[in-house]
Amino acid sequence: MEICYVLDASAIINGFKINSNNNYTVPEITSEIKDLKSKLTFDMLIEEGNLIIQDVPNKYISSVNDVISMSGDILRLSMPDIKLISLACMLQDEGKNVKVISDDYTIQNTLKIMEIPYSGVMTEGIKGIYNWKKVCEGCKKEYDDDYPFDDCEICGSRIFKKRIRVNR
């Protein structure tokens, strides 16, 4: 079965070689492609029919949000990233052999959790699975993902995102 590639902006920016017309991305990726060379490449791919821009139904976005809420990746993924992962889920549900091309480690982390194949263009890719937590730099209090402030309510220190390796 032919591989169906789901392309992140980093795939286009970093020069992923397109060898088929079985390539997909989401509309929001266009805002992440800023340099002229990548914009020209992107436009050419669409014009020649080698890249299909596909929107994603909310049910796939919701299921990805459930996964990233549990892993903590919700702290690091943008809406275009979430939609890209959702597109991969949708295409898999349609019975397609999907592979996501992205150099973004957080996208790769989520894909690894969801057991969706991926590879990078410029990077080797992640080796393990990681979760993220919001933690106070001073008193080490842990906060929920939706805590809206950058400072600790107890000691006033900065809150940062801490990476935690998951053994799987």
Side-chain angles (χ1 to χ4, degrees), residues 43-80:
D43 291 343
M44 185 182 70
L45 290 170
I46 293 169
E47 209 172 283
E48 294 176 351
N50 291 328
L51 181 61
I52 299 162
I53 296 180
Q54 175 76 52
D55 214 345
V56 186
N58 284 334
K59 72 176 189 173
Y60 293 101
I61 295 167
S62 293
S63 73
V64 169
N65 277 330
D66 290 345
V67 172
I68 64 176
S69 290
M70 290 176 37
S71 71
D73 286 329
I74 197 165
L75 299 172
R76 299 176 54 90
L77 289 172
S78 67
M79 183 49 76

Side-chain angles (χ1 to χ4, degrees), residues 5-14 16 24-25 29 32 77-78 80-82 84-85 88 99-111 116-126:
Y5 293 102
V6 176
L7 305 179
D8 183 21
S10 66
I12 293 157
I13 293 165
N14 294 332
F16 176 69
Y24 295 81
T25 196
I29 291 301
E32 294 188 346
L77 289 172
S78 67
D81 297 339
I82 293 167
L84 192 83
I85 296 164
K99 186 171 195 177
V100 177
I101 307 299
S102 176
D103 286 314
D104 183 313
Y105 286 152
T106 307
I107 289 174
Q108 291 179 6
N109 191 61
T110 302
L111 293 168
I116 297 173
Y118 62 88
S119 69
V121 178
M122 302 290 284
T123 62
E124 246 185 79
I126 62 168

Side-chain angles (χ1 to χ4, degrees), residues 83-159:
K83 283 194 159 188
L84 192 83
I85 296 164
S86 302
L87 176 60
C89 292
M90 182 184 89
L91 294 171
Q92 267 193 337
D93 274 4
E94 292 174 359
K96 294 186 168 114
N97 184 14
V98 174
K99 186 171 195 177
V100 177
I101 307 299
S102 176
D103 286 314
D104 183 313
Y105 286 152
T106 307
I107 289 174
Q108 291 179 6
N109 191 61
T110 302
L111 293 168
K112 191 169 188 91
I113 291 167
M114 297 178 77
E115 298 179 350
I116 297 173
Y118 62 88
S119 69
V121 178
M122 302 290 284
T123 62
E124 246 185 79
I126 62 168
K127 303 288 185 254
I129 295 175
Y130 296 92
N131 285 348
W132 296 88
K133 285 186 179 177
K134 282 187 174 182
V135 179
C136 171
E137 198 171 56
C139 69
K140 308 298 182 219
K141 175 178 172 38
E142 293 182 7
Y143 286 91
D144 292 334
D145 297 340
D146 60 354
Y147 182 71
F149 305 109
D150 294 331
D151 299 323
C152 178
E153 65 189 1
I154 294 173
C155 71
S157 296
R158 183 180 71 90
I159 293 174

